[in-house]
Amino acid sequence: MTHRQTADEPCVPTHRLSLRFSSTRRGARLARRLAVQQLTEWTGLPHDCDAAHAVALVTDELAANAVAHGSLPGRDFRLTLLLPPEPVVRLEVTDTRPERLPRHPAAVPTPPDAVSGRGLFLVAVYARRWGCEVRDAFTKTVWAEVARPS
């Protein structure tokens, strides 16, 4: 699935949590910690398992992108966690810049000596699939589905 396509079928979660965070580095850090904590509470998985590490990394990258590229002054970003019946956890980060769509990591290669620009490449590696949806004129949602043990 390419990064701008939506999922074929709607996600029907068994668990759902949605919270807003300040568009700051602290907000991104809190979102990452909450995502891992919620995953472990919902599934009983340990904090140091592969799925928790993947959720932490993907949440961190999506939240950091929302803060760096998707925020307007005074506007928060929203993190939504969904636990569908399938063995994945779906992470959604909604920000206030629908005109700034993420570029596929292969579209613009990052120079080897660059200190940033690899976040979506990491998301693509750790997520089973990911994408971006513009649902209205004011927001966009970047989502990723990370595998978890069934």
Side-chain angles (χ1 to χ4, degrees):
M1 171 177 282
T2 62
H3 78 288
R4 288 200 175 108
Q5 292 176 324
T6 61
D8 297 333
E9 297 177 11
C11 177
V12 180
T14 58
H15 295 287
R16 183 180 197 279
L17 177 71
S18 187
L19 294 170
R20 289 174 37 178
F21 295 90
S22 64
S23 290
T24 62
R25 291 184 347 193
R26 182 173 186 260
R29 185 176 62 245
L30 290 172
R32 180 190 73 230
R33 289 182 176 177
L34 176 103
V36 172
Q37 179 65 34
Q38 197 62 56
L39 172 74
T40 61
E41 285 184 23
W42 283 344
T43 63
L45 294 170
H47 283 269
D48 61 350
C49 70
D50 289 342
H53 289 298
V55 164
L57 184 137
V58 171
T59 303
D60 195 43
E61 292 301 333
L62 296 183
N65 282 350
V67 170
H69 308 293
S71 65
L72 291 171
R75 299 289 178 93
D76 298 336
F77 72 90
R78 184 176 62 238
L79 170 68
T80 302
L81 303 170
L82 303 163
L83 195 68
E86 303 88 47
V88 297
V89 59
R90 183 176 169 111
L91 310 160
E92 298 180 350
V93 174
T94 303
D95 66 46
T96 56
R97 298 295 299 265
E99 76 280 4
R100 293 182 132 185
L101 298 177
R103 287 187 246 157
H104 194 278
V108 182
T110 304
D113 58 343
V115 295
S116 65
R118 294 178 185 82
L120 288 178
F121 176 76
L122 291 172
V123 170
V125 168
Y126 280 89
R128 280 194 174 171
R129 58 189 190 157
W130 69 281
C132 179
E133 298 172 357
V134 176
R135 297 175 181 157
D136 58 45
F138 307 104
T139 62
K140 78 169 175 296
T141 299
V142 182
W143 57 269
E145 292 178 352
V146 175
R148 64 178 170 86
S150 53

